[in-house]
Amino acid sequence: MLEGPDGPVVVVGVRGGLGHAVAGRLRARGHGVVGVARRASPGVDVVADLTDRRALAAVLADTRPSAVVVAAGVSPAECDSDPETARRVTVDAVLDLYDAADAVGCRTLVVPSTSAVYGDARRTPADETAPPAPGSRYAELKLAAEEGVAARLAAGGGVRPVALRIFNAWGPGFRRSLVTRLLASTPEAPVALAGLDSFVRDYVHGDDVAALVAAVVEAGDELPGVVNVGSGEAVSNRGLVAALGVRHELHWVEAEPVASWSCADVSLARRVLGFAPRGVADAVAADAR
Ligand SMILES: NC(=O)c1ccc[n+]([C@@H]2O[C@H](COP(=O)([O-])OP(=O)(O)OC[C@H]3O[C@@H](n4cnc5c(N)ncnc54)[C@H](OP(=O)(O)O)[C@@H]3O)[C@@H](O)[C@H]2O)c1
């Protein structure tokens, strides 16, 4: 196992789609993983809430990790229904974790940010220099977390924070993804698609996101503070049902069109971290094998 002086990787939120994928990838690469979640289940080593500052500090003091990956978070809907909890989980807890990680000499903190910080009205893939245009409370809180950890580093913190602006992750465990909903659709419960051509997203497979996280954890000292994590492929709803429909029976209806466009420029991740994400069609074919 890649432990000893380097220490294991603490993954907080290990029961979620991202946490599960990341923990699996890290273990497969020989890392020791300490899985943290707020409920016990297989793969959970410590039961603790992300907002429980003392409990998380104790986990880090006990395990002396080389990296901490925050894979927990609340949904955009939860940010609107309970803004206070959302701020505690999304911003305050992440900053507390930065401080706890710094106190034990941890090297890297991976923070889950979102493509939503760019807004969704662009017509060209966004790179990390695109001006933020958060259009929701969820996006605002994610941006505040990015800025908070960057400020900690600028103030002399010893942990390098890497905020991942994740686009639309899908695959096993990603319950909320449109892809997951389409694959689970039935004639009795078709998925409503908000326009076939006007609604465009960048779908990145969870295994590819996990590979990127592993690359961040294993990288040398120089790392950008913000990295896009998408496939780089702009997919309309028409393109999505075409790609998935090759191997799966889908049931959907066209609803009132929504004009919304979002896609990543992943040049930075490719260059700095060797990221090689797949498009939807390739990932669907690989999953079927
Ligand atoms: N999936 C995407 O496309 C995407 C895109 C951009 C950003 N992100 C971000 O990536 C992170 C993971 O997303 P995901 O897709 O894996 O979501 P997910 O499957 O819903 O997992 C989120 C996990 O967070 C846990 N959690 C929530 N509040 C917590 C708390 N107070 N303490 C401890 N754990 C808590 C949940 O625990 P329970 O299992 O107990 O409910 C759940 O396991 C989130 O921060 C999300 O905002 C995801």
Side-chain angles (χ1 to χ4, degrees), residues 235-248:
V235 182
S236 65
N237 280 341
R238 189 185 300 279
L240 184 61
V241 294
L244 299 177
V246 171
R247 286 168 198 275
H248 300 275

Side-chain angles (χ1 to χ4, degrees), residues 12-20 36-39 48-52 56 70-76 78 85 88-90 93 111-116 138 142 164-170 173-177 202 204 229:
V12 186
V14 76
R15 291 180 72 242
L18 179 64
H20 183 75
V36 180
R38 59 182 170 174
R39 280 183 263 266
D49 195 289
L50 175 59
T51 60
D52 185 340
L56 267 296
V70 182
V74 295
S75 67
E78 288 167 306
T85 301
R88 278 207 303 278
V89 171
T90 313
V111 177
S113 188
T114 171
S115 57
Y138 172 75
K142 292 292 198 187
L164 303 181
R165 289 183 176 164
I166 304 169
F167 280 64
N168 294 80
W170 67 278
F174 289 89
R175 300 165 292 169
R176 277 191 290 270
S177 165
D202 176 325
V204 59
V229 189

